[in-house]
Amino acid sequence: MNASSSAAPRWVGSRLPRREDSRMLRGAGLFVDDIADPHAYHLAFVRSPHASGRIIEIGTEDARAMPGVIAVLTSADLGHPQLTAVLEREEFIATAMPLLAHDKVRYAGEPMVVVVAENRGLAEDAAESVWCEIEELPAVMSFDDAGAVATPIHDEAPDGVLFDLQMFSDDVLEELLAEAPLVLEETFRSGRVAAAPMESRACLGEWRARDEQVVLHISTQVPHQVRTGVAQALGIPESRVRVIAPDVGGGFGLKCVVGREEVVAAAITLRLRHAVRWSEDRQENLMASFHGREQDYRIRAGFDGEGRIVGLDADIRCNIGAYSVSPFSCAVEPLMAATELPGVYKVGRYAARARGFASNKAPTAPYRGVSRPQIVFVMERLMDKAAQRLGLDRVEIRRRNTIQSEDFPYTGPNGITYEPGSYVEALDHCVAEIETAGWWQACEQNDGLLRGVGIANFSERTAYGTATMGLRKMQMTPGFEVSHVRMDASGDVVVTSGTCGHGQGHETTFAQIVADRLGITPDRVKLRQGDTEITSFGWGTFGSRSLVIGGGAAAVAARGVADQIRQVAGEMLEADAADIDLAEGYATVRGAPDARIAIDDIAATVHFRSHTLSERREYLLEASGSADPSGMFSNAAHAALVEVDPGTGDARVLDYIVVEDCGVVVNPMIVEGQVRGGVAQGIAAALYEEMEFSSEGQPQSATFMDYLVPTASEIPRVAVHHLETPCDQTETGAKGMGEGGSIGAPAAVVSALNHALREYHADIDFIPVRPSDLRKILDGTAVVPREQEAI
């Protein structure tokens, strides 16, 4: 960890209120729909009513004839543009995703036609008058359907498998499993979920004639990736596309890929040389946007007599929907699951096969956590099952298997090296908090309700750099970040970054990091992000990377500016630059507190009186910095206290504890907010949310009446406790943590449910768990995972 001066950090570690909140709470945020352009045309999409079928004919005449309709366009009218995600590996089959379907439809809700009209209502009315003749085909909805239908979803993959990878194959594993005292053969399933951000996808395309440029204002996490996707799909140079992300009302991974509707908006802006806008309604968002997490795990795990894992074999199947999304591809979930399944546990031998199956459902994108909620769920259920079979305490079996402090750096059989963390310490701290909270006593209350305690111990790989992301062999490989820091003549600072905040508090935390290095207050630091013309390049915000990589780059750049300030201060104070400390708005000679000069005066001198500086070789106070760590691991232990009403099967989470370690905590308040938001999403995945479909592929969860997003009434108090194991790979000592809450919560909640229903011999290995599932256990019905008509 590098420091910019000998002065101790003042701002990093403080609970500074989020700068962004003031304008948001006053209704002064600027979202895409807030950007006024009264002359913009509006778009509406005609979407497929069928999950699978051949397009025979599309009739647009009636729509074109309606007053106020500017254009009605099909894929042919646009020149059949498409997006194609590519992994440069033989296990992957690339398939094109047309911006508008033209030969086949592959999921209900897929866009086929776009209507351009003078207002939104007219556009939607005209879209309803477009008729489509579609020869309906059998829909692929389950893994068993994938190779059984006569007409495959993609001709390139007759068996429906777009990604198939065998990882970490090991001949010794079979011998170990054959000889192990305990072998668990289990199946685990997780339901398909939707990100459901507060702000659905939205974009406003404007034509800038002076620059011959399309300017796309878009609710996105990845502006530069959208720019590249638009340019490639439309066959134009990237210089002709500018992408600006204003305030973004949540993303959760849904907005870290390139959406076809947004590219269509850019194409029409370019075609008509006129502003157009599109805002997704909630039904479109739930039905036709990107989903995530629909997975099936078939596991064999061998344990020795003391409960230690000697071998683990996994067959992982992921339903990736109809297409690969750009740029991450459909392999993002199966790759993550197979690579990181062992987690915090010292698995003796390991092998995994990971597959991505196409289906007639909306494509999946990297939803918050990307397979890690599932792999933690799998590993924690194995721990609970083995403890029960071997007569061990649930906590003790975890301790015996967890990577210990003395093991670091630890390289597992999955080929991953784990840097120092607090895996056992977090678990023990969490158990102590459970004792203090009196949860065990609550479970023994005899009031007719059933209560249970669940525990999950896990790691979260964060801040994947170029080297690590390069192992996926993406054609576009994310990783590094570049930042620029400049101080103006008044001493205020502007920081640019290729990250793109959408609720994480970047404007506050980046300012804390930079302010400490420059010796000023955070209110004097402004962050500029989300604009491809301001930052030369950047990969955006996803995968718990922004503060670590983007903030690290900003720290490097700020250190460069700090060195420049010291050089000038040294000349002005007749001291060695190495003896200058920057703090409290002053440059001070170390050991001589009266020998100081205001940083504001230094900035004014550099800008307005540079001729007075005999040793000055550079003009202005500015520097660039970059960061590209390999990736590191945060870790946490979660615990949930649940209550089940035996009369109704209703389950509620009563209390929740998190002990987390994300290295140096830049702002504890923001970390806790991120953790609590993630826990809420994890509880939702465990008990409430699921995208369900009919056997014909019709979405059954297209409104919030059917897709059960929890309210504040369903989310308990979440107590967050911090441990800090500084990371020596990063400029700030921080590790990422944005996904951890959602990763641990499903495992903790289901563990608690099984504990609550221990007298009923519950063995729940699927999510979400509904009251009807719990009623089966309470009624003595054999419990198996629900057979979903959709995978």
Side-chain angles (χ1 to χ4, degrees):
M1 179 179 172
N2 297 306
S4 61
S5 76
S6 60
R10 173 184 175 185
W11 298 109
V12 167
S14 67
R15 293 177 173 271
L16 201 65
R18 296 198 335 165
R19 178 180 299 174
E20 302 89 329
D21 290 349
S22 176
R23 70 172 184 271
M24 298 301 180
L25 294 172
R26 290 184 289 106
L30 183 69
F31 300 88
V32 171
D33 280 350
D34 296 320
I35 301 173
D37 191 332
H39 303 294
Y41 298 149
H42 289 251
L43 306 184
F45 288 90
V46 179
R47 298 183 180 275
S48 171
H50 303 297
S52 179
R54 290 190 184 90
I55 298 175
I56 306 301
E57 188 177 2
I58 297 176
T60 62
E61 296 81 3
D62 292 344
R64 295 177 192 272
M66 294 178 66
V69 171
I70 308 302
V72 182
L73 303 170
T74 64
S75 179
D77 295 323
L78 296 178
H80 295 305
Q82 62 188 34
L83 293 164
T84 304
V86 175
L87 291 190
E88 295 171 339
R89 53 196 313 158
E90 62 182 13
E91 302 92 348
F92 175 79
I93 297 175
T95 55
M97 180 169 67
L99 299 190
L100 296 173
H102 56 86
D103 55 349
K104 294 172 66 175
V105 291
R106 294 178 170 88
Y107 63 92
E110 181 169 13
M112 300 181 295
V113 181
V114 59
V115 175
V116 188
E118 292 177 352
N119 61 65
R120 180 168 182 166
L122 181 56
E124 292 180 350
D125 288 345
E128 291 183 359
S129 70
V130 173
W131 58 269
C132 304
E133 182 181 350
I134 297 174
E135 177 191 353
E136 190 171 2
L137 298 172
V140 174
M141 303 306 292
S142 71
F143 293 118
D144 294 335
D145 291 340
V149 296
T151 304
I153 295 174
H154 295 282
D155 294 340
E156 303 94 319
D159 61 354
V161 180
L162 299 184
F163 180 75
D164 188 348
L165 180 64
Q166 179 70 49
M167 303 185 75
F168 317 118
S169 183
D170 191 334
D171 294 337
V172 179
L173 177 60
E174 291 300 325
E175 297 179 18
L176 290 172
L177 291 175
E179 298 172 357
L182 173 64
V183 177
L184 298 176
E185 296 191 21
E186 307 289 343
T187 298
F188 304 91
R189 293 191 176 95
S190 66
R192 173 173 284 240
V193 293
M198 185 176 293
E199 179 195 26
S200 297
R201 295 181 298 159
C203 58
L204 167 66
E206 295 181 315
W207 175 248
R208 301 283 174 87
R210 179 178 179 179
D211 298 321
E212 289 285 305
Q213 189 180 54
V214 173
V215 178
L216 195 62
H217 304 267
I218 179 172
S219 184
T220 183
Q221 302 170 224
V222 288
H224 289 86
Q225 293 187 54
V226 171
R227 181 182 68 180
T228 297
V230 169
Q232 290 181 350
L234 303 185
I236 59 177
E238 291 201 16
S239 62
R240 296 194 64 193
V241 183
R242 178 181 182 183
V243 176
I244 301 172
D247 290 323
V248 176
F252 312 118
L254 167 69
K255 299 174 185 176
C256 78
V257 295
V258 183
R260 62 214 299 199
E261 295 92 343
E262 299 145 2
V263 184
V264 167
I268 295 174
T269 301
L270 182 65
R271 178 188 181 97
L272 301 180
R273 301 296 200 266
H274 196 282
V276 303
R277 70 189 318 147
W278 171 71
S279 296
E280 181 181 59
D281 65 30
R282 186 56 63 182
Q283 186 176 56
E284 286 179 299
N285 175 258
L286 290 172
M287 178 178 73
S289 193
F290 304 109
H291 298 156
R293 294 187 179 173
E294 191 170 357
Q295 300 180 5
D296 175 291
Y297 291 72
R298 298 177 182 180
I299 302 291
R300 289 186 301 154
F303 292 80
D304 66 18
E306 296 182 345
R308 293 184 175 87
I309 306 176
V310 297
L312 182 66
D313 183 49
D315 182 5
I316 301 165
R317 301 188 298 178
C318 301
N319 181 336
I320 54 84
Y323 298 101
S324 271
V325 295
S326 180
F328 291 97
S329 87
C330 67
V332 62
E333 286 193 339
L335 261 176
M336 180 76 80
T339 304
E340 300 190 11
L341 177 61
V344 299
Y345 298 117
K346 295 190 288 187
V347 175
R349 296 278 181 166
Y350 176 55
R353 184 186 186 189
R355 287 173 287 175
F357 286 77
S359 69
N360 290 116
K361 300 178 183 179
T364 56
Y367 180 46
R368 192 176 192 177
V370 188
S371 290
R372 283 158 304 173
Q374 284 63 48
I375 64 178
V376 171
F377 174 59
V378 168
M379 295 304 295
E380 296 306 291
R381 286 296 298 133
L382 289 174
M383 289 295 125
D384 284 349
K385 287 170 179 284
Q388 183 179 30
R389 294 280 293 275
L390 295 170
L392 295 173
D393 178 75
R394 288 187 293 160
V395 175
E396 178 57 28
I397 196 171
R398 286 170 168 82
R399 284 198 193 99
R400 292 182 185 182
N401 283 285
T402 298
I403 302 167
Q404 306 288 315
S405 296
E406 59 268 22
D407 296 325
F408 294 117
Y410 173 82
T411 301
N414 53 356
I416 293 176
T417 298
Y418 301 76
E419 88 284 356
S422 56
Y423 299 173
V424 175
E425 295 82 355
L427 176 63
D428 289 343
H429 191 152
C430 190
V431 171
E433 293 296 334
I434 292 172
E435 294 280 0
T436 301
W439 286 10
W440 302 117
Q441 292 87 340
C443 292
E444 300 305 319
Q445 292 181 23
N446 187 19
D447 57 2
L449 298 173
L450 306 173
R451 298 182 184 87
V453 174
I455 300 171
N457 198 30
F458 64 96
S459 61
E460 174 196 358
R461 199 176 194 183
T462 71
Y464 297 77
T466 304
T468 302
M469 292 296 287
L471 298 175
R472 297 184 182 182
K473 301 183 179 180
M474 295 168 60
Q475 199 171 58
M476 286 174 56
T477 302
F480 65 88
E481 283 296 336
V482 177
S483 181
H484 189 82
V485 173
R486 68 176 186 270
M487 179 177 282
D488 65 23
S490 66
D492 284 354
V493 174
V494 172
V495 181
T496 66
S497 177
T499 61
C500 188
H502 45 282
Q504 296 88 345
H506 290 178
E507 294 176 36
T508 306
T509 51
F510 276 61
Q512 290 176 262
I513 291 170
V514 170
D516 268 342
R517 279 157 178 75
L518 297 180
I520 60 177
T521 54
D523 63 297
R524 305 198 68 178
V525 181
K526 294 181 181 179
L527 176 65
R528 294 288 181 261
Q529 58 182 340
D531 187 337
T532 59
E533 294 277 285
I534 290 178
T535 306
S536 57
F537 196 78
W539 290 104
T541 291
F542 56 89
S544 301
R545 69 187 303 274
S546 291
L547 186 75
V548 176
I549 306 181
V556 173
R559 193 170 71 242
V561 174
D563 289 342
Q564 295 167 0
I565 294 172
R566 286 195 195 90
Q567 291 172 8
V568 178
E571 180 177 349
M572 297 176 73
L573 295 171
E574 299 182 347
D576 192 314
D579 293 331
I580 301 295
D581 286 336
L582 305 179
E584 306 296 336
Y586 288 90
T588 305
V589 178
R590 193 173 305 123
D594 293 333
R596 67 177 191 169
I597 185 171
I599 294 174
D600 292 3
D601 292 339
I602 294 173
T605 298
V606 170
H607 284 81
F608 301 146
R609 298 180 296 280
S610 61
H611 63 285
T612 65
L613 301 173
S614 60
E615 297 298 324
R616 186 67 177 152
R617 297 185 177 91
E618 296 178 5
Y619 294 97
L620 308 183
L621 298 172
E622 59 182 350
S624 295
S626 63
D628 193 9
S630 61
M632 64 287 306
F633 288 87
S634 293
N635 66 271
H638 285 205
L641 175 65
V642 304
E643 179 181 88
V644 177
D645 184 334
T648 63
D650 181 54
R652 298 182 65 85
V653 182
L654 300 178
D655 204 356
Y656 204 95
I657 295 169
V658 173
V659 178
E660 67 83 31
D661 186 343
C662 61
V664 171
V665 179
V666 174
N667 188 317
M669 183 179 68
I670 288 179
V671 168
E672 290 160 15
Q674 286 285 293
V675 167
R676 291 184 176 114
V679 167
Q681 286 184 299
I683 291 173
L687 296 177
Y688 303 108
E689 297 185 18
E690 184 175 23
M691 292 299 303
E692 297 185 286
F693 296 79
S694 71
S695 58
E696 294 80 22
Q698 291 299 317
Q700 305 292 295
S701 311
T703 73
F704 281 151
M705 293 293 289
D706 310 297
Y707 188 79
L708 303 180
V709 176
T711 69
S713 298
E714 285 75 45
I715 303 302
R717 177 190 75 101
V718 179
V720 182
H721 305 270
H722 302 283
L723 302 177
E724 290 195 22
T725 305
C727 180
D728 60 9
Q729 295 185 47
T730 66
E731 180 70 21
T732 61
K735 306 175 182 182
M737 49 65 57
E739 298 176 291
S742 64
I743 291 171
V749 170
V750 175
S751 175
L753 287 175
N754 280 297
H755 183 235
L757 300 174
R758 55 198 176 277
E759 295 182 4
Y760 295 84
H761 307 291
D763 195 22
I764 304 168
D765 292 330
F766 57 90
I767 53 175
V769 184
R770 300 280 177 77
S772 58
D773 302 311
L774 299 178
R775 282 300 316 164
K776 291 178 183 178
I777 300 172
L778 294 162
D779 293 342
T781 307
V783 178
V784 296
R786 292 191 315 282
E787 291 297 331
Q788 301 179 47
E789 295 173 316
I791 302 172

